[in-house]
Amino acid sequence: MKVYIESYGCTFNKADGQIIAGILNENNIDIVDSIEKADVIIVNTCYVKLPTENKVVYKIQKLQEDYPDKKIIVGGCMVEIDPEKLDKIGPNCSWIGPHQLNKSAEIVRGTYCGEVIREVGFSKESKVGVPKVIDDSLIHIIQICEGCLGACTFCCTRFARGPLNSYPIEDIVAEAREAIENGACEIQLTAQDTAAYGRDTGEKLSDLIKEVANLDGDFRVRVGMMHPKNILNDVDEIIDAMKHPKVYNFIHLPVQSGSDKVLSDMRRGHTVSQYVDIVSKFRDEIPEITLAVDIIVGYPTESDEDFDETVKLLEIVKPSLIHLSKYQHRKGAISSSLSEIPPKIMKKRSKFLSQIKSEITEEENKELVGSIQNVLIVEKGSKGGFIGKTNSYIPVIVDDVELGTFVDVKITQATATYLKSELLQK
């Protein structure tokens, strides 16, 4: 029996795919690198945005058409968020819910034998220290908790991932230690909201970061997305932890809107001024910090004035990375009961923000031209060369280097998304 796994979406979902592969491997079920070689295909879905939903729905339908003799299992968020649609497009597909990964082997075996097995529902099973098949030995993802404390009106992911479930620091540190000993040079701590870590167990994200960063070895730690609301009570200690030389100077801090009215409508739980204060504290203490933000354009209650407030906020905080999303209704989300903004207005606002995004990010990167940066080489470039990350987690194109090494480079050119460089030493 041979299985092919295709994962969509976020870092967390990619790690779920690695766990499924690890469990199958432990049960002597072969993982293959192409659909053609497989008897069973697992589609590990993401459902956070409508374009991604359309992509995974098309994939499931296309697989059934093109490979009628192969068995299909659907995993990921779609299983919990939209089972009605999934049942309609794939009535003969088995399911693996995001909380049922430990049953992957029995689901695969049963499906291979012609059964339709559907395991769903929440559990408190830990995703730390479990078998994994890692396709990149240099970058190791560790899920530090699952679920969230939020009630954002636009979000459907929380229906798939459930309430917060944090994993013990000692288990996370043990997995990180083993990964580093096996050659990992980048540890990614990921969650739906890393700032919520430990709110259910009494442990703290700042303590976790310090313990991982204090492990022996040459590596970097990347801390995943943090909800502004949940960072407020621990911001000083998190900043202190992120000053560690082995932690990337990088924060992913979604704001979604620059309007307090819209933030309230979204039930974000924080204000614009609180967000600006958090950013200011990070920049005061870690001047070279890279700020990544998420913006939703055209939330149903966003007026022209609200949109102008978002533009003003971006001009104030000048993030190095901006992830823009056009608002679209999501299955089960509270805001889906509201009327969407006319497409013409949505398109105009999105185009305007996209232009601002390019201007801000390119301007930020251009300030680094001529500087000397120590970068960690983490992957091969798709068009040649290698990709490294600065201490501020900015991608740099480098020629003729060895994967997994730290090198000094001089930045020669900047774009809105990456830097180009020349090697100063080998």
Side-chain angles (χ1 to χ4, degrees):
M1 185 191 335
K2 300 182 186 302
V3 179
Y4 174 75
I5 303 171
E6 188 163 300
S7 291
Y8 292 82
C10 65
T11 303
F12 198 95
N13 211 42
K14 181 179 178 181
D16 274 357
Q18 293 174 348
I19 292 173
I20 293 172
I23 291 171
L24 298 184
N25 189 58
E26 288 278 301
N27 284 271
N28 299 312
I29 298 173
D30 292 336
I31 308 299
V32 294
D33 59 5
S34 73
I35 292 172
E36 287 71 24
K37 297 176 185 176
D39 303 302
V40 178
I41 303 163
I42 298 177
V43 183
N44 189 27
T45 63
C46 172
Y47 225 61
V48 66
K49 298 177 184 179
L50 183 58
T52 312
E53 173 189 337
N54 292 337
K55 188 174 182 179
V56 299
V57 166
Y58 175 79
K59 184 69 174 184
I60 294 165
Q61 292 174 323
K62 188 69 172 169
L63 286 172
Q64 293 174 101
E65 293 171 8
D66 294 348
Y67 302 97
D69 295 331
K70 296 183 186 291
K71 306 298 184 181
I72 298 172
I73 299 173
V74 181
C77 290
M78 185 182 185
V79 171
E80 291 288 355
I81 296 171
D82 207 349
E84 298 87 0
K85 185 169 191 174
L86 180 52
D87 191 39
K88 184 177 180 180
I89 65 168
N92 297 315
C93 295
S94 291
W95 301 350
I96 302 176
H99 296 266
Q100 305 296 324
L101 305 188
N102 61 328
K103 299 175 183 175
S104 297
E106 61 189 74
I107 294 172
V108 166
R109 287 197 180 104
T111 302
Y112 177 72
C113 293
E115 299 178 60
V116 175
I117 304 173
R118 295 178 172 178
E119 292 288 352
V120 298
F122 297 137
S123 79
K124 290 289 186 178
E125 290 281 340
S126 177
K127 292 184 175 180
V128 178
V130 298
K132 292 181 181 178
V133 172
I134 310 295
D135 53 7
D136 184 346
S137 61
L138 297 179
I139 299 175
H140 189 90
I141 304 166
I142 303 179
Q143 298 152 300
I144 65 173
C145 57
E146 187 163 15
C148 72
L149 296 172
C152 298
T153 58
F154 54 81
C155 180
C156 66
T157 302
R158 61 195 182 95
F159 303 127
R161 297 296 176 174
L164 181 65
N165 180 29
S166 300
Y167 308 133
I169 286 181
E170 61 179 343
D171 293 348
I172 297 168
V173 172
E175 181 170 331
R177 181 184 293 110
E178 182 178 359
I180 294 162
E181 290 172 351
N182 289 332
C185 59
E186 180 174 304
I187 301 296
Q188 297 186 354
L189 304 179
T190 189
Q192 280 72 61
D193 171 21
T194 60
Y197 175 79
R199 296 298 177 89
D200 54 333
T201 61
E203 296 188 298
K204 297 170 66 176
L205 176 64
S206 52
D207 292 334
L208 170 60
I209 295 170
K210 289 176 183 177
E211 291 209 29
V212 173
N214 281 326
L215 290 170
D216 293 335
D218 293 328
F219 64 93
R220 291 289 181 270
V221 178
R222 191 201 74 173
V223 182
M225 184 174 71
M226 293 184 275
H227 194 305
K229 176 187 71 172
N230 291 322
I231 202 176
L232 284 168
N233 295 329
D234 197 28
V235 62
D236 293 330
E237 292 191 52
I238 290 175
I239 289 172
D240 185 58
M242 294 187 70
K243 286 181 179 180
H244 194 289
K246 291 183 182 178
V247 180
Y248 282 121
N249 299 318
F250 170 84
I251 50 169
H252 182 186
L253 201 64
V255 64
Q256 307 301 5
S257 173
S259 161
D260 280 333
K261 177 179 77 67
V262 175
L263 289 177
S264 177
D265 292 343
M266 290 178 169
R267 299 185 186 175
R268 288 289 288 168
H270 65 87
T271 64
V272 173
S273 63
Q274 286 173 325
Y275 184 88
V276 173
D277 285 346
I278 293 168
V279 173
S280 297
K281 284 185 175 182
F282 269 96
R283 285 185 167 150
D284 286 345
E285 296 295 324
I286 311 174
E288 62 276 21
I289 196 85
T290 288
L291 170 66
V293 305
D294 294 0
I295 298 289
I296 292 175
V297 183
Y299 185 80
T301 64
E302 181 186 78
S303 66
D304 288 340
E305 292 74 21
D306 295 321
F307 177 73
D308 290 342
E309 291 299 314
T310 296
V311 173
K312 289 177 186 176
L313 175 63
L314 291 178
E315 290 171 343
I316 290 170
V317 299
K318 292 188 179 300
S320 302
L321 294 169
I322 304 172
H323 306 292
L324 296 179
S325 298
K326 293 179 185 176
Y327 174 84
Q328 291 168 313
H329 288 335
R330 302 306 300 127
K331 171 77 173 179
I334 297 169
S335 59
S336 295
S337 64
L338 303 173
S339 298
E340 290 188 352
I341 284 175
K344 187 175 180 180
I345 295 176
M346 178 84 76
K347 184 177 180 180
K348 181 181 177 182
R349 290 178 186 173
S350 180
K351 185 177 180 181
F352 188 76
L353 273 194
S354 293
Q355 182 178 346
I356 291 175
K357 166 188 171 180
S358 296
E359 291 172 355
I360 291 175
T361 53
E362 189 165 354
E363 178 185 341
E364 290 289 301
N365 283 348
K366 279 183 176 179
E367 292 182 4
L368 296 173
V369 173
S371 68
I372 308 300
Q373 300 286 331
N374 182 250
V375 301
L376 171 59
I377 308 302
V378 292
E379 60 183 305
K380 289 184 178 180
S382 59
K383 298 180 180 179
F386 295 82
I387 299 174
K389 294 293 178 64
T390 69
N391 288 334
S392 299
Y393 204 64
I394 300 172
V396 183
I397 305 299
V398 187
D399 292 328
D400 191 25
V401 287
E402 185 179 342
L403 283 169
T405 60
F406 288 87
V407 297
D408 290 326
V409 301
K410 182 177 181 179
I411 305 303
T412 57
Q413 187 178 339
T415 72
T417 53
Y418 63 89
L419 306 171
K420 290 186 176 181
S421 69
E422 61 182 28
L423 189 63
L424 294 183
Q425 64 180 30
K426 291 188 179 181

